[in-house]
Amino acid sequence: MSATKRITKNMIVDAALEIFRAEGFEAVTSRRIALRLGCSTQPIYFEYKNMDELKDDIIKKVVEHLYALFGSVDGDSDEFVYRSYGLAFLKFVQTDPFVFRQIYTVDGKIGRQVDDLWMPKGLEILENKYGYKKETAIAINNMASCSLMGMAVFISSGYRKTSEEEILKSLEILFASVCAVYGPPPKLMKIEKFRTHFEQLMASFKK
Protein backbone atom coordinates (compact mmCIF):
# COMPACT_ATOMS: atom_id res chain seq x y z
CA MET A 1 0.00 0.00 0.00
CA SER A 2 2.87 2.36 0.74
CA ALA A 3 4.16 1.96 -2.83
CA THR A 4 0.86 3.15 -4.30
CA LYS A 5 1.00 6.25 -2.12
CA ARG A 6 4.64 6.97 -2.93
CA ILE A 7 4.16 6.75 -6.69
CA THR A 8 1.57 9.31 -7.72
CA LYS A 9 -0.44 9.54 -10.91
CA ASN A 10 1.46 12.66 -11.97
CA MET A 11 4.77 10.88 -11.47
CA ILE A 12 3.59 8.04 -13.70
CA VAL A 13 2.43 10.39 -16.47
CA ASP A 14 5.63 12.44 -16.30
CA ALA A 15 7.76 9.31 -16.53
CA ALA A 16 5.68 8.00 -19.44
CA LEU A 17 5.97 11.38 -21.18
CA GLU A 18 9.77 11.33 -20.85
CA ILE A 19 9.89 7.90 -22.46
CA PHE A 20 7.51 8.99 -25.22
CA ARG A 21 9.50 12.15 -25.96
CA ALA A 22 12.69 10.12 -26.31
CA GLU A 23 11.48 6.96 -28.04
CA GLY A 24 7.81 7.23 -29.05
CA PHE A 25 4.60 5.54 -27.93
CA GLU A 26 5.79 2.03 -28.72
CA ALA A 27 8.39 2.34 -25.96
CA VAL A 28 5.82 3.37 -23.33
CA THR A 29 5.18 0.19 -21.37
CA SER A 30 4.36 -0.42 -17.73
CA ARG A 31 7.70 -2.18 -17.30
CA ARG A 32 9.68 0.75 -18.73
CA ILE A 33 7.77 3.25 -16.60
CA ALA A 34 8.27 1.16 -13.47
CA LEU A 35 12.00 0.91 -14.20
CA ARG A 36 12.25 4.69 -14.58
CA LEU A 37 10.36 5.25 -11.32
CA GLY A 38 12.20 2.51 -9.43
CA CYS A 39 9.07 0.60 -8.48
CA SER A 40 7.00 -2.40 -9.53
CA THR A 41 4.22 -2.16 -12.11
CA GLN A 42 1.61 -2.35 -9.34
CA PRO A 43 1.30 1.42 -8.72
CA ILE A 44 0.82 1.98 -12.46
CA TYR A 45 -2.09 -0.44 -12.71
CA PHE A 46 -3.46 0.94 -9.45
CA GLU A 47 -3.90 4.31 -11.22
CA TYR A 48 -4.66 3.06 -14.74
CA LYS A 49 -6.81 0.18 -15.95
CA ASN A 50 -4.72 -0.14 -19.11
CA MET A 51 -1.99 1.59 -21.09
CA ASP A 52 -4.49 3.26 -23.43
CA GLU A 53 -5.79 5.32 -20.49
CA LEU A 54 -2.24 6.36 -19.68
CA LYS A 55 -1.54 7.28 -23.29
CA ASP A 56 -4.63 9.51 -23.27
CA ASP A 57 -3.08 11.40 -20.36
CA ILE A 58 0.21 11.71 -22.26
CA ILE A 59 -1.70 13.33 -25.12
CA LYS A 60 -3.33 15.74 -22.67
CA LYS A 61 0.14 16.65 -21.38
CA VAL A 62 1.27 17.41 -24.93
CA VAL A 63 -1.73 19.68 -25.39
CA GLU A 64 -0.96 21.39 -22.07
CA HIS A 65 2.50 22.08 -23.47
CA LEU A 66 0.93 23.60 -26.58
CA TYR A 67 -1.25 25.90 -24.48
CA ALA A 68 1.77 26.90 -22.38
CA LEU A 69 3.59 27.88 -25.57
CA PHE A 70 0.51 29.76 -26.74
CA GLY A 71 0.53 31.70 -23.47
CA SER A 72 4.21 32.48 -23.86
CA VAL A 73 3.79 34.02 -27.33
CA ASP A 74 0.39 35.58 -26.70
CA GLY A 75 1.88 39.00 -26.01
CA ASP A 76 0.27 40.36 -29.16
CA SER A 77 -2.87 42.43 -28.96
CA ASP A 78 -6.20 40.72 -29.63
CA GLU A 79 -5.90 41.72 -33.28
CA PHE A 80 -3.05 39.26 -33.82
CA VAL A 81 -3.94 36.48 -31.39
CA TYR A 82 -4.63 33.92 -34.15
CA ARG A 83 -1.11 34.49 -35.44
CA SER A 84 0.14 33.74 -31.92
CA TYR A 85 -1.87 30.53 -32.01
CA GLY A 86 -0.11 29.43 -35.19
CA LEU A 87 3.27 30.58 -33.90
CA ALA A 88 2.80 28.51 -30.74
CA PHE A 89 2.18 25.38 -32.80
CA LEU A 90 5.30 25.93 -34.90
CA LYS A 91 7.37 26.64 -31.79
CA PHE A 92 6.18 23.30 -30.46
CA VAL A 93 7.46 21.68 -33.66
CA GLN A 94 10.82 23.46 -33.28
CA THR A 95 11.26 22.41 -29.64
CA ASP A 96 9.89 18.86 -30.01
CA PRO A 97 10.32 17.74 -33.65
CA PHE A 98 10.44 14.05 -32.68
CA VAL A 99 7.21 14.35 -30.68
CA PHE A 100 5.54 16.16 -33.59
CA ARG A 101 6.52 13.37 -35.99
CA GLN A 102 5.31 10.70 -33.57
CA ILE A 103 1.95 12.44 -33.21
CA TYR A 104 1.24 13.46 -36.78
CA THR A 105 3.23 11.24 -39.12
CA VAL A 106 3.64 7.93 -37.27
CA ASP A 107 0.03 7.60 -36.08
CA GLY A 108 -2.56 10.00 -37.49
CA LYS A 109 -5.10 8.84 -34.92
CA ILE A 110 -2.98 10.40 -32.18
CA GLY A 111 -2.76 13.60 -34.22
CA ARG A 112 -6.55 13.74 -34.43
CA GLN A 113 -6.80 13.28 -30.67
CA VAL A 114 -4.42 16.20 -30.13
CA ASP A 115 -6.29 18.36 -32.62
CA ASP A 116 -9.65 17.55 -31.02
CA LEU A 117 -8.30 19.12 -27.82
CA TRP A 118 -6.25 21.92 -29.43
CA MET A 119 -8.26 23.09 -32.45
CA PRO A 120 -11.36 24.45 -30.64
CA LYS A 121 -9.22 27.33 -29.38
CA GLY A 122 -8.52 28.44 -32.94
CA LEU A 123 -12.22 28.32 -33.81
CA GLU A 124 -13.04 30.35 -30.71
CA ILE A 125 -10.57 33.06 -31.75
CA LEU A 126 -11.90 33.21 -35.31
CA GLU A 127 -15.52 33.44 -34.20
CA ASN A 128 -15.41 35.53 -31.03
CA LYS A 129 -12.43 37.81 -31.61
CA TYR A 130 -12.38 38.04 -35.40
CA GLY A 131 -16.11 37.92 -36.08
CA TYR A 132 -16.27 35.21 -38.73
CA LYS A 133 -19.40 33.08 -38.93
CA LYS A 134 -19.05 29.54 -37.61
CA GLU A 135 -19.01 27.89 -41.05
CA THR A 136 -16.38 30.33 -42.29
CA ALA A 137 -14.31 29.90 -39.12
CA ILE A 138 -14.28 26.12 -39.64
CA ALA A 139 -13.22 26.52 -43.27
CA ILE A 140 -10.46 28.98 -42.33
CA ASN A 141 -9.23 26.75 -39.53
CA ASN A 142 -9.07 23.79 -41.90
CA MET A 143 -7.18 25.86 -44.48
CA ALA A 144 -4.79 27.23 -41.86
CA SER A 145 -4.25 23.76 -40.38
CA CYS A 146 -3.17 22.35 -43.75
CA SER A 147 -0.73 25.21 -44.29
CA LEU A 148 0.64 24.98 -40.74
CA MET A 149 1.08 21.24 -41.13
CA GLY A 150 3.13 21.80 -44.28
CA MET A 151 5.34 24.31 -42.48
CA ALA A 152 5.60 21.97 -39.51
CA VAL A 153 6.78 19.03 -41.61
CA PHE A 154 9.38 21.28 -43.24
CA ILE A 155 10.62 22.52 -39.84
CA SER A 156 10.60 19.11 -38.14
CA SER A 157 12.51 17.44 -40.96
CA GLY A 158 15.63 19.45 -40.16
CA TYR A 159 16.01 20.32 -43.84
CA ARG A 160 17.11 23.78 -42.76
CA LYS A 161 16.83 26.08 -39.78
CA THR A 162 13.83 28.40 -39.79
CA SER A 163 13.99 31.64 -37.82
CA GLU A 164 11.05 33.16 -35.97
CA GLU A 165 11.15 36.03 -38.46
CA GLU A 166 10.71 33.59 -41.35
CA ILE A 167 7.88 31.83 -39.51
CA LEU A 168 6.09 35.13 -38.87
CA LYS A 169 6.46 36.05 -42.55
CA SER A 170 4.95 32.71 -43.55
CA LEU A 171 2.07 33.30 -41.14
CA GLU A 172 1.48 36.73 -42.67
CA ILE A 173 1.30 35.15 -46.13
CA LEU A 174 -1.13 32.56 -44.77
CA PHE A 175 -3.27 35.33 -43.26
CA ALA A 176 -3.26 37.26 -46.55
CA SER A 177 -4.36 34.08 -48.37
CA VAL A 178 -7.21 33.59 -45.89
CA CYS A 179 -8.36 37.17 -46.41
CA ALA A 180 -8.17 36.78 -50.19
CA VAL A 181 -10.46 33.74 -50.03
CA TYR A 182 -12.80 34.52 -47.12
CA GLY A 183 -12.45 38.27 -46.67
CA PRO A 184 -10.78 40.17 -43.81
CA PRO A 185 -12.03 39.58 -40.24
CA PRO A 186 -15.24 41.61 -39.78
CA LYS A 187 -14.68 42.63 -36.15
CA LEU A 188 -11.07 43.64 -36.64
CA MET A 189 -11.75 45.80 -39.70
CA LYS A 190 -13.66 48.14 -37.38
CA ILE A 191 -10.43 48.83 -35.46
CA GLU A 192 -8.36 51.57 -37.07
CA LYS A 193 -5.02 50.12 -35.88
CA PHE A 194 -5.78 46.76 -37.43
CA ARG A 195 -7.26 48.26 -40.61
CA THR A 196 -4.07 50.24 -41.19
CA HIS A 197 -1.93 47.14 -40.56
CA PHE A 198 -4.12 45.10 -42.90
CA GLU A 199 -3.88 47.66 -45.71
CA GLN A 200 -0.09 47.87 -45.34
CA LEU A 201 0.23 44.10 -45.28
CA MET A 202 -1.86 43.58 -48.39
CA ALA A 203 -0.02 46.39 -50.20
CA SER A 204 3.33 44.75 -49.40
CA PHE A 205 2.33 41.65 -51.37
CA LYS A 206 1.59 43.71 -54.48
CA LYS A 207 5.11 45.10 -54.74
Side-chain angles (χ1 to χ4, degrees), residues 101-158:
R101 291 194 297 271
Q102 286 291 309
I103 290 172
Y104 287 100
T105 63
V106 173
D107 189 340
K109 184 178 75 173
I110 300 170
R112 288 192 296 274
Q113 284 180 269
V114 172
D115 285 352
D116 285 345
L117 295 171
W118 168 245
M119 287 299 179
K121 180 65 177 179
L123 290 173
E124 178 193 342
I125 293 168
L126 290 169
E127 287 187 71
N128 298 336
K129 292 186 180 294
Y130 284 25
Y132 287 110
K133 292 181 180 179
K134 184 175 182 179
E135 300 77 18
T136 305
I138 291 171
I140 290 172
N141 216 39
N142 288 339
M143 177 182 176
S145 297
C146 289
S147 295
L148 282 174
M149 196 59 64
M151 286 187 251
V153 170
F154 183 78
I155 291 168
S156 71
S157 69

Side-chain angles (χ1 to χ4, degrees), residues 45-99:
Y45 287 110
F46 178 81
E47 296 290 351
Y48 291 98
K49 292 178 184 176
N50 53 58
M51 294 304 292
D52 285 339
E53 281 189 2
L54 174 54
K55 288 177 180 179
D56 285 342
D57 277 354
I58 294 174
I59 290 168
K60 288 175 184 175
K61 281 279 188 180
V62 171
V63 173
E64 283 177 17
H65 178 51
L66 273 166
Y67 277 123
L69 284 171
F70 177 63
S72 72
V73 300
D74 193 15
D76 289 331
S77 60
D78 284 350
E79 294 90 45
F80 307 108
V81 67
Y82 194 68
R83 181 178 68 181
S84 296
Y85 176 80
L87 180 59
F89 181 76
L90 295 177
K91 276 185 173 292
F92 157 68
V93 178
Q94 282 185 315
T95 56
D96 279 312
F98 176 77
V99 172

Side-chain angles (χ1 to χ4, degrees), residues 9 20 37-38 73 92-93 97 100 120 127 152 156-157 167 172 174:
K9 191 171 189 176
F20 166 63
L37 292 174
V73 300
F92 157 68
V93 178
F100 166 79
E127 287 187 71
S156 71
S157 69
I167 289 173
E172 284 185 345
L174 173 57

Side-chain angles (χ1 to χ4, degrees), residues 135-206:
E135 300 77 18
T136 305
I138 291 171
I140 290 172
N141 216 39
N142 288 339
M143 177 182 176
S145 297
C146 289
S147 295
L148 282 174
M149 196 59 64
M151 286 187 251
V153 170
F154 183 78
I155 291 168
S156 71
S157 69
Y159 177 70
R160 69 177 176 86
K161 296 288 184 181
T162 306
S163 68
E164 184 168 321
E165 183 181 355
E166 289 173 309
I167 289 173
L168 287 172
K169 184 65 177 178
S170 296
L171 292 174
E172 284 185 345
I173 293 170
L174 173 57
F175 174 70
S177 301
V178 166
C179 291
V181 176
Y182 298 101
K187 279 188 178 181
L188 298 188
M189 289 304 284
K190 298 176 182 178
I191 303 170
E192 184 178 353
K193 175 186 172 184
F194 176 81
R195 195 165 57 247
T196 300
H197 169 82
F198 173 77
E199 290 169 356
Q200 291 173 346
L201 175 65
M202 299 306 283
S204 70
F205 291 117
K206 295 178 182 179

Side-chain angles (χ1 to χ4, degrees), residues 19-45:
I19 295 169
F20 166 63
R21 291 181 74 174
E23 302 177 57
F25 265 129
E26 292 300 317
V28 180
T29 65
S30 58
R31 189 182 297 274
R32 291 288 304 278
I33 296 167
L35 183 64
R36 184 171 286 265
L37 292 174
C39 66
S40 69
T41 58
Q42 182 184 355
I44 299 165
Y45 287 110

